[in-house]
Amino acid sequence: MGRPKSLAAVQRAWESGKLIFLVPQKNPKTDDPSQSDLNGEGTVARITTLEKKDDGTFVVGVKGLERKKVLGLVRSTSLTSVRLQAPLASK
């Protein structure tokens, strides 16, 4: 993981409770995805480990906690946040 917005999100989560929302992109090569570039569901996870590599990227260990639906994105210059729906029922 090495995109600036991804790094900012991980660093903010690591410093404030270690919770982060992970949502897969439809095309991982899209550098700054919009809501239509994302899967509609993702996982609230707890960061368990954070290791900085020599090349400046990070290896992040996470534990999934619950699935949620993405309602919208809240963009800033440094990172993108999401508005989430209540937990989804298990399939």
Side-chain angles (χ1 to χ4, degrees):
M1 184 199 60
R3 279 191 229 162
K5 285 188 176 185
S6 297
L7 292 173
V10 167
Q11 289 171 340
R12 180 179 284 181
W14 184 255
E15 294 166 359
S16 62
K18 300 187 177 42
L19 292 181
I20 193 164
F21 184 69
L22 306 172
V23 60
Q25 289 180 221
K26 294 175 183 174
N27 180 354
K29 293 181 181 180
T30 302
D31 211 27
D32 191 17
S34 66
Q35 186 168 345
S36 64
D37 295 318
L38 303 176
N39 186 331
E41 296 177 8
T43 302
V44 175
R46 180 173 308 282
I47 299 174
T48 57
T49 59
L50 182 61
E51 176 187 344
K52 187 173 184 177
K53 298 176 70 176
D54 292 337
D55 64 1
T57 61
F58 285 80
V59 176
V60 183
V62 297
K63 178 181 180 181
L65 302 175
E66 63 181 329
R67 294 181 322 150
K68 297 231 180 197
K69 184 175 181 178
V70 177
L71 295 179
L73 300 183
V74 180
R75 293 181 171 274
S76 76
T77 55
S78 62
L79 59 87
T80 300
S81 300
V82 291
R83 289 178 314 158
L84 301 174
Q85 187 178 45
L88 297 173
S90 298
K91 292 183 180 179

